[in-house]
Every structure is written in structure tokens, then in C-alpha cells.
Amino acid sequence: MLAISKALLAWACRLGTLALLAAGLLALDAERHPASAQTNGTGTGVCTSATSCTVTGTSNTGAPFNASYNPLTMSGTFTLDSQAAQSFTVVQTSATTFTGTSAVGTVNCTAVTSTTFSCVELTTVSSSSSQSSSTQAAIRGSEAGATRAQVNSSFDIITSRITNYSRDIAVSLGTGGQQSQAPGYYRGISAGTADLKWGFWADSSGSYLNDSSPIAKFNGYGLTELAGVDYNLDSKWLFGFNAGYVRTDVRIAAIAGNRVEQGPQLGPYLSYIASSHVSADLLFNYSRLSNVAAGFPSFDSDRYAGAGNVNFFYNVSGFALTGFMGYTYAIESPSSAAPGLIGGVPTFIHYGAVKVGGEAAYPMGSFEPYVPLTVEYETTQTHDGTGRGVVVVGAGARYRFSDTIKGGIELTSDEARSHSTNVVGAANLRISF
């Protein structure tokens, strides 16, 4: 009986090791090779009791895995590349072979020695390839949509703060650089308080995001919380720095779960007031973001984004008109922990757009309602099933509480972009000192 027990325990160890190796290779194939293909690999394991076995292995792609297994229940869990644990079941087909099966495929394993085993993938579940392909497209699409939403939200906030303040400075100079007493503008300069060189601003915005395309199909929300400080040099240069937090949280139909991308961002900005009618600005932001999608391992990404704009200011029949044209570009790089299903390194996400627009404001003392309008065209390829062109319209109002405090609210909405809805509400405050 003792000999039989030892023999059973030895085979339990073998089966446990086989099962874990099969599951590890199966997961590797599902994530990095969605279509059917043969994948070979080896692993070693040991059983410390009749109910507890552990195994470590490496596939021929170099991906390590670690796992635990209960040979009595014929089930266990494994982790591949330090990713989330998943489950599998096994069925013994002979004294030295068995079949391991999960939701994404089937493999056969054969013992080479008492502790070393070889596994080969046999088939992929009938709908796995198409499901993996559609899931990959949906995840990638939501990535591209989140990048576009976060970059646009951040730069719209910063450019609005820059342009509004630069206009106040520019218009206050009047014709030929003379200070103007025009109501509704930067009275700090017009009143002769040239010592108000510094400014602090804060902006909070929230957005509703919806993608109805058959490729990505997601909906959720975004948050952008930014603050900045800048310095006005001789009413010609504005040097500033911003920092804050961005987040998008969307539910993706293809995975029946949410994808969250969030993290801090920061960067400098610069504006040059060329005259009472023209200014130009440059912006740069760096973001360090965490990415989590239901059913997939989390990973980090680095985003670098820049923008340049030329602005024009005119007053016509009591209206304060502002126009601009510019270009925005961003590149996002996932870390090596990003699973193959959603790209991974060295796959990058690119977003670029040409923008032309402006606003018509009507200053009434300290109160200034306005209507913004922007036309955008995305120069990079879209991956979320939406169109490249969009018209952004909205309404807003600014109010000057004193010579040093000014606040505002704004609501905008994307129009004419196919399969896309993006409604943004924002509030801001600026303090000069």
C-alpha cells in the first residue's frame, strides 16, 4: 500500500506539473498568438503533498510562469509574465499524457522525465481567433479614444487660460502699445499696477464619452484636474508651468468590463504677445499613466504631447473676437508589461490634429459671455471607428470678481464626428498677484 501511495503521489506530481505547464503555455498562446499555432515549452515542478504541487517553467518565447495545482481536484491557477492568475481544468488521457483545457484553447502534454514535460498546442476554441481579434481592436480603440480625449481636454484647458490672459494683456496695450481703459479687460495693467506679474489658475473639467462604432463601442467619463502658475515679463512674454491629474473610465462592450487610464501630468507653456492683435503659444506635457482593463493585466505608459497656436484678437461693434490656428501632437508608449493582445512594446499610440477656431465674446462690465467654435481634423489614423473631422461648439461665461480674480464656466460638445460623443463641462479661476 505504501508503494502504491508513493506511486500515486509521484504521478499526481507529474499531472500537476503537466497541468500547470499546459495552462501557462495556453495563456501565452492566447495573449500573444491569437490565431492557431504550435507553441512548445518546458517546465519543472514538485509536489509537497498529495494536494499541493508547484511548478515553474519557460516557453520558447522566453515568457516565465509560476503556478500551484491540486492533483485531487484536477484544477489550479497559474500566472504568466507576472500577470493575473487564471484557472484551468485537466483530463488524463493515458498514464503519461493528459489534455488541459481553458476558455481559449486546448493543449496536449507528455512527460519527458519525472519532473520535465513538453506541451504542444493542438487547437484553438472555434470562436477564439475572431473573438481575440475583435477584443484587441476594441481595447486598442479605447486606448486611442482615451489618448485623444485626455490630450484635447488638457490642452484645451491650458490654451484657454493662456489665450484669455494673453488677450487681456494684448488688448490692454491698445494701439501702438498704449494702455487702454477698455472695460472687461485686464485692469491690473490699465490701472498702472505693473507689479501684478504672477498668476495662479486652476481648472476642473468632466466629460461624457461615448463611442458607438462597431470597432470600439464604449462609453464612460473623463476627468481633468489642472493647476498652473505663470509669470508676465514686460507684457510681452508669459512663462508658465502646469500640473494635474487626468482620468478616463469607460465600459467596453467587447470585454463586458471597464478600462481605466489615469495618472499625473505636468509641463511648461510659453506665450509671446507680439502686438495688441497677435500672440503665439507653445505647450508641452508629460503624463505617467496606469492602465487597467477588466480581465487583463495592468501596465503603465508614458505620454509626450505638444501643441503650438497662433492667436488673433479684434474688437468689432462691442464684440471681442478671438481666432486661432494650431497643431497638436501626442505619442504614448506602453511599458513592456502591456500584454500582446493590446499592442505592447514597441507599439505606440499616435494622435495628431490640426485645429482652427475661435470665440465671440460680448463684454458687459465684469461679465463676459462667449460662444466658442473649433474645427479639428485628425492627421493620424483613428483606431476607434470614429471619423477624423469634428466641429466643437459650446457656450461659456467669464466674470471678473476684482482686478486680481477672474473665473469662468464652459460647456462644449463634439458635433459631426461619426460614432462619437464628447460633452465637456469645465470651471476655472485665475488669481493675479
Side-chain angles (χ1 to χ4, degrees):
M1 288 297 295
L2 180 59
I4 295 175
S5 298
K6 288 182 177 180
L8 289 174
L9 182 59
W11 277 111
C13 178
R14 293 184 181 184
L15 287 174
T17 306
L18 285 168
L20 291 167
L21 181 60
L25 294 175
L26 180 60
L28 178 67
D29 182 74
E31 295 182 35
R32 302 192 176 184
H33 306 279
S36 283
Q38 288 192 338
T39 303
N40 300 312
T42 60
T44 58
V46 60
C47 291
T48 56
S49 71
T51 60
S52 179
C53 301
T54 59
V55 66
T56 59
T58 304
S59 77
N60 62 342
T61 63
F65 61 88
N66 299 276
S68 61
Y69 169 72
N70 185 338
L72 298 183
T73 61
M74 300 296 281
S75 63
T77 60
F78 72 91
T79 58
L80 176 68
D81 259 343
S82 301
Q83 298 172 1
Q86 300 185 37
S87 61
F88 65 92
T89 58
V90 298
V91 177
Q92 187 175 356
T93 57
S94 73
T96 59
T97 63
F98 77 95
T99 298
T101 304
S102 75
V104 293
T106 302
V107 294
N108 265 6
C109 295
T110 303
V112 177
T113 68
S114 60
T115 57
T116 305
F117 308 88
S118 177
C119 298
V120 179
E121 181 196 24
L122 295 180
T123 62
T124 300
V125 175
S126 59
S127 63
S128 178
S129 289
S130 60
Q131 185 178 26
S132 296
S133 176
S134 62
T135 300
Q136 178 180 3
I139 293 289
R140 290 288 293 170
S142 70
E143 266 193 311
T147 296
R148 179 174 59 215
Q150 290 183 358
V151 170
N152 281 338
S153 177
S154 298
F155 279 170
D156 286 350
I157 287 173
I158 301 170
T159 54
S160 292
R161 304 289 69 76
I162 296 175
T163 304
N164 182 243
Y165 186 57
S166 297
R167 179 187 174 87
D168 282 354
I169 297 174
V171 175
S172 71
L173 296 176
T175 304
Q178 299 298 312
Q179 293 179 352
S180 168
Q181 298 296 325
Y185 293 111
Y186 184 60
R187 297 194 185 98
I189 291 178
S190 64
T193 54
D195 57 327
L196 296 180
K197 297 295 187 180
W198 291 92
F200 170 81
W201 58 266
D203 193 299
S204 176
S205 72
S207 60
Y208 168 72
L209 305 169
N210 183 72
D211 186 320
S212 60
S213 74
I215 294 177
K217 194 158 186 158
F218 62 80
N219 66 83
Y221 70 90
L223 294 174
T224 305
E225 313 293 333
L226 295 179
V229 61
D230 48 49
Y231 179 77
N232 169 15
L233 178 64
D234 297 330
S235 297
K236 283 291 184 180
W237 295 93
L238 186 68
F239 302 92
F241 191 86
N242 83 94
Y245 165 83
V246 293
R247 176 188 176 98
T248 56
D249 187 338
V250 296
R251 182 170 182 81
I252 305 172
I255 64 174
N258 284 37
R259 180 181 184 276
V260 178
E261 183 169 16
Q262 62 181 332
Q265 73 172 33
L266 50 85
Y269 58 87
L270 167 72
S271 180
Y272 175 68
I273 297 89
S275 71
S276 60
H277 295 296
V278 181
S279 74
D281 49 68
L282 293 173
L283 310 83
F284 174 80
N285 267 345
Y286 166 73
S287 306
R288 178 64 173 177
L289 305 162
S290 66
N291 299 262
V292 179
F296 297 94
S298 60
F299 64 93
D300 295 326
S301 60
D302 296 295
R303 181 190 299 152
Y304 305 88
N309 302 289
V310 178
N311 312 294
F312 308 94
F313 313 123
Y314 292 94
N315 292 334
V316 179
S317 301
F319 285 90
L321 305 180
T322 301
F324 78 92
M325 57 183 180
Y327 186 71
T328 299
Y329 185 80
I331 182 171
E332 185 168 341
S333 171
S335 70
S336 58
L341 182 61
I342 57 177
V345 172
T347 300
F348 297 100
I349 301 167
H350 299 267
Y351 169 71
V354 175
K355 301 184 180 183
V356 178
E359 67 171 46
Y362 192 78
M364 296 181 292
S366 296
F367 181 62
E368 188 180 52
Y370 64 93
V371 176
L373 183 146
T374 302
V375 178
E376 302 177 6
Y377 182 80
E378 192 166 338
T379 59
T380 48
Q381 182 181 356
T382 62
H383 295 279
D384 58 352
T386 63
R388 292 189 174 187
V390 62
V391 177
V392 183
V393 299
R398 291 182 281 265
Y399 186 81
R400 189 177 298 281
F401 298 94
S402 69
D403 282 356
T404 59
I405 301 177
K406 187 176 184 180
I409 57 174
E410 183 179 276
L411 180 68
T412 61
S413 175
D414 284 6
E415 303 294 336
R417 187 196 293 274
S418 60
H419 302 294
S420 176
T421 301
N422 185 5
V423 180
V424 182
N428 60 80
L429 184 71
R430 179 182 178 86
I431 301 174
S432 299
F433 54 94

